[in-house]
Amino acid sequence: MPEASFFTDMLQSITDHGRQLLFSGSRNTQAAAKADLQTLCEMLLSSRGEASGIALAAEILDRWGASESEAAQAFFDMLHEKFGPDASRLDQAIENYRTDKSSAAVIALHQAAEPRRQELLRRLNHAPNGTARLVRMRQQLRASKDRSEAYDALDADFTHLFGSWFNRGFLTLRPIDWTTPAYILEKIIRYEAVHEIAGWEELRRRLAPADRRCFAFFHPRLADEPLVFVEVALTRSVPKAIADVLDEGREQINADEATTAVFYSISNCQDGLRGISFGNFLIKQVVEDLRRDLPGLKNFVTLSPVPGFARWLAKARASTTDRFLSEASLKTLILLDDPNWPDNDNSAAEVERVLLPLAARYFLAERTPEGRPVDPVARFHLGNGARLERVNFLGDRSPKAIEQAHGLMVNYLYKLDDIVANHEALAQRGEVIASPAVKSLLNQSDEGRRGGSGQQGSRAFAQLMNSTLGGGRK
């Protein structure tokens, strides 16, 4: 991208001149060499010159990038402890607001409450490749945050800023096909998070045929780094199993023969941007582009994994305080402990009879403490207004899918006329919109008609079932 290259070269030139201004002369050089990162950060916040500010930002990021893990950790500690809000200024702003509710007092309170590190991060972003380096910084911060809650506020600052910097208005949707430059295709192979791409030949099978599509979002400051991408299969029907989509010997069709677009893999590429939602915009944009190019498409569905199901079921099987599984179901579920159960027709039939109603309960009734669906993929698609269309037994027989979901996959249906209503049903009433077939699964076992979940209780569960199965939309 020539524009990005020109901008990067210009920024690097300004940085070089700024460094000459800052660090020329023996006295300045010695002072710069002795200055620690905290001092440099304070200098950056007080800097008024554009060239010197960019040079300081580059120096800070260079030092951070070259630091060992322990020093990098100390940098996060310093940001957390030394660059929060000015406490005395915030106290004074709060007191002023108590007696003066004017717009000026509100603005002053807002400015005083903002941590100084937010402005520091904005200025660090001015450095060459600053955005990419800050994304990597947050990736490391998240790894540290997993070990401690001390960085919650610092991570919230990154999230707040990234939410603006990676606004949908800045993102560009680009098709990925077999003619895309190899250095980007290599990243598609590396970043694929749902169905592993074993190598170039498998990637070709996913990109080259006429009935396959792939799209990715890019940001101008990370021009060659996909942020998120989706793989699409164009089919004549809604697939029940991933083999129907990825099997090497599958029947290929012309794009204009397809009636259904299947989103079978959505992969976020940048760990440093976790929690910054792109996927919902991506799906909506891709649907619009596909409808324009292929007016014969009538159905837009996913073939999605269920990454939290096996973990949830394991807890239910082990529970002794809030058990809702019958003894007969527990006995049948012992079959899951045999790694070869999917290959035994009798075992598979017994497991299917018990597992599908439990899956319906998992999607329709189980909730997080915040009242959201427990499955992360379900939260994404249902929150975007999709309908839970079908639960597919042994839809994915890969070791990963067997471990995470006992092989289950699901179809979410994006029906454009219903997306807003479906989203509102979940957001306002906590109601999961599902097809009659999925709802009927709850009536096929005692587990679907009894007792509450561990987090809701039997009364809340009964109320939810009454709403979902009685007054719910279809």
Side-chain angles (χ1 to χ4, degrees), residues 129-355:
N129 297 316
T131 304
R133 292 201 274 183
L134 288 174
V135 170
R136 288 196 293 273
M137 184 181 290
R138 183 176 181 246
Q139 179 179 349
Q140 186 167 337
L141 172 66
R142 284 176 56 82
S144 302
K145 183 173 173 287
D146 289 342
R147 298 191 296 267
S148 169
E149 295 181 357
Y151 298 136
D152 282 353
L154 177 54
D155 188 51
D157 293 328
F158 273 97
T159 302
H160 171 72
L161 293 172
F162 285 175
S164 298
W165 298 350
F166 290 89
N167 180 283
R168 169 64 185 95
F170 298 128
L171 305 184
T172 301
L173 183 71
R174 290 159 57 183
I176 304 294
D177 56 34
W178 197 235
T179 66
T180 298
Y183 59 86
I184 292 180
L185 295 182
E186 286 178 336
K187 292 171 183 175
I188 298 297
I189 293 175
R190 182 165 75 249
Y191 292 144
E192 166 60 67
V194 184
H195 303 291
E196 180 183 1
I197 300 175
W200 286 98
E201 181 57 29
E202 184 171 346
L203 179 65
R204 187 194 64 79
R205 292 198 299 269
R206 298 198 193 185
L207 298 182
D211 59 358
R212 292 296 180 265
R213 297 288 188 275
C214 182
F215 299 87
F217 266 149
F218 291 83
H219 188 277
R221 295 297 297 272
L222 287 81
D224 297 328
E225 282 286 344
L227 305 182
V228 58
F229 66 90
V230 59
E231 296 169 72
V232 184
L234 304 176
T235 66
R236 294 193 184 100
S237 61
V238 178
K240 295 182 177 181
I242 194 60
D244 298 337
V245 173
L246 297 181
D247 187 74
E248 186 174 355
R250 66 177 179 81
E251 178 191 2
Q252 297 184 20
I253 63 174
N254 294 325
D256 57 7
E257 298 177 60
T259 61
T260 302
V262 184
F263 302 89
Y264 67 89
S265 179
I266 301 174
S267 297
N268 289 303
C269 306
Q270 309 297 325
D271 284 340
L273 293 175
R274 296 287 176 182
I276 312 300
S277 179
F278 311 116
N280 54 343
F281 299 119
L282 179 67
I283 287 179
K284 292 170 184 174
Q285 185 66 59
V286 169
V287 166
E288 289 302 319
D289 286 7
L290 289 173
R291 290 179 72 201
R292 183 185 63 246
D293 296 341
L294 298 168
L297 291 175
K298 305 302 180 186
N299 302 314
F300 297 90
V301 301
T302 77
L303 183 59
S304 298
V306 192
F309 180 67
R311 183 170 59 251
W312 170 81
L313 186 58
K315 290 181 180 179
R317 291 174 63 189
S319 175
T320 58
T321 58
D322 190 26
R323 175 169 290 180
F324 60 83
L325 291 168
S326 68
E327 292 299 326
S329 294
L330 286 169
K331 184 177 180 180
T332 299
L333 292 174
I334 292 174
L335 294 170
L336 295 174
D337 300 332
D338 178 1
N340 298 315
W341 72 265
D343 301 320
N344 184 305
D345 291 344
N346 292 331
S347 296
E350 285 296 301
V351 169
E352 180 178 14
R353 180 179 57 80
V354 174
L355 208 63

Side-chain angles (χ1 to χ4, degrees), residues 105-124:
V106 173
I107 292 172
L109 179 58
H110 172 75
Q111 292 174 339
E114 180 180 280
R116 294 198 304 146
R117 57 181 168 258
Q118 283 196 21
E119 180 60 24
L120 177 63
L121 293 174
R122 291 189 190 99
R123 298 192 180 200
L124 289 174

Side-chain angles (χ1 to χ4, degrees), residues 374-412:
V374 293
D375 190 80
V377 177
R379 284 198 297 271
F380 173 78
H381 289 296
L382 297 172
N384 286 332
R387 180 172 88 166
L388 179 60
E389 187 67 9
R390 187 170 65 194
V391 180
N392 300 306
F393 181 70
L394 287 180
D396 187 350
R397 291 172 175 262
S398 69
K400 178 181 178 181
I402 294 295
E403 178 183 357
Q404 291 186 340
H406 302 304
L408 287 182
M409 297 194 81
V410 297
N411 301 117
Y412 297 99

